[in-house]
Structure formats: structure tokens, C-alpha cells
Amino acid sequence: WILNQSWCNGKIGTFGGSYLGYTQFASAVESDSSLVAMSTHVPLIDWYDTAYEGGAFNSLTLMGWGAEMAQPKLGEGALLEDKELNFKELPLIYWDKKNVGKELTWMRDWLKNPVFNNYWENISNIHDLKKKKKIPLIIQPEWIKSSPGQPINI
């Protein structure tokens, strides 16, 4: 669509943060030579490394964010006002039903796949991007964000 606009010179650059950073990586895998640069701010780069940083499930980030995606109109952090109380519910596979009121398929999939396998390979497209593309890229990481080593591994 952008390439067909009269104001487009045939070169596309992308920018965005967090999940919008992830969408840049996702679209870059399928892009042609018109994508000439990417700028990301605290992007989600690799789903598995975000979910299982150092091999341990990153419950604070993924349970909160995963729940917010189920009910975004409540506002950021609304479902996790009492973080201490929310994370006392074990096993985590049932956390969604107790705290959100319904089963969250994506969250249960994350918990059912604790090791890197085909599930993660299919949603972590950064592996494909590393093999296929050479695109100038700026990554602005945040030291308190989960998986701070992800930008270094690209």
C-alpha cells in the first residue's frame, strides 16, 4: 500500500516500540528491498527468550501482558494491581481462569512449551530474519526490560 502512494520514493523505514518493535521484525522477514531501515525501542525480539529468560518462566511480564491483551480496555496494569496476590495462584496453568475469568490459549501455550521447540520457532521469526535479511537496524534496549541480551544476539 505504501509503495503505491504518490508520495513514496520506494524506500520504507519502520519505527516503534515494544510489540510494535516485534511487528517490524515480523514484517521484515517477508519484505523486499524497499525496506531500508528499522528503528525499534525496547522491542520484543524473541518470544522464547522473553518467556523463559534463563530457563525460568517470566511470569511477571508475561502473565501481566498476556492478561492485558485479553482485556485491553481495562488499561495497562489494571489486572495486576495486587501483583503479590495474583502470583500466589499455582499451578500457573490455571492462573488465567482465576485472575482473568477465562482461559487464555496463548498463555497456556507458553506454559506448555518450557523448552525451545517448533511452537517457539514458528512465532519467533527473528531466527528467519537473521538468516535472510541484512537491514540497517537501530535497537534501543531498556536495561529493566525482560531479556536484555536479546539485542546483542541479533
Side-chain angles (χ1 to χ4, degrees):
W1 178 85
I2 293 174
L3 289 172
N4 293 326
Q5 303 307 305
S6 61
W7 44 261
C8 182
N9 67 1
K11 296 179 182 178
I12 297 175
T14 60
F15 67 95
S18 194
Y19 188 79
L20 295 178
Y22 168 74
T23 61
Q24 290 180 69
F25 289 108
S27 62
V29 172
E30 301 298 326
S31 70
D32 61 19
S33 61
S34 60
L35 179 61
V36 298
M38 296 168 48
S39 176
T40 63
H41 174 71
V42 295
L44 190 166
I45 297 172
D46 186 307
W47 280 94
Y48 179 75
D49 285 347
T50 298
Y52 287 93
E53 185 175 357
F57 185 70
N58 190 345
S59 58
L60 183 58
T61 297
L62 290 178
M63 302 306 262
W65 180 79
E68 288 171 5
M69 294 303 99
Q71 301 176 2
K73 290 183 180 180
L74 293 179
E76 186 173 346
L79 293 170
L80 297 176
E81 292 295 323
D82 187 349
K83 290 179 175 71
E84 191 174 310
L85 176 65
N86 283 325
F87 293 105
K88 287 182 179 176
E89 183 66 31
L90 293 175
L92 287 177
I93 196 78
Y94 302 117
W95 181 92
D96 53 356
K97 193 86 162 160
K98 170 98 171 152
N99 288 280
V100 182
K102 59 184 173 182
E103 290 184 14
L104 304 178
T105 306
W106 61 88
M107 195 176 295
R108 290 182 177 219
D109 287 345
W110 299 336
L111 290 164
K112 290 176 185 175
N113 292 280
V115 297
F116 190 83
N117 57 23
N118 286 339
Y119 171 79
W120 297 108
E121 181 74 33
N122 290 333
I123 66 172
S124 293
N125 57 17
I126 187 62
H127 304 287
D128 293 331
L129 183 61
K130 287 165 70 171
K131 294 175 195 171
K132 294 180 181 179
K133 303 285 181 174
K134 300 287 186 219
I135 302 167
L137 169 65
I138 295 172
I139 299 175
Q140 181 184 1
E142 184 175 42
W143 72 274
I144 59 171
K145 192 81 167 174
S146 65
S147 302
Q150 286 187 26
I152 296 167
N153 294 329
I154 293 181

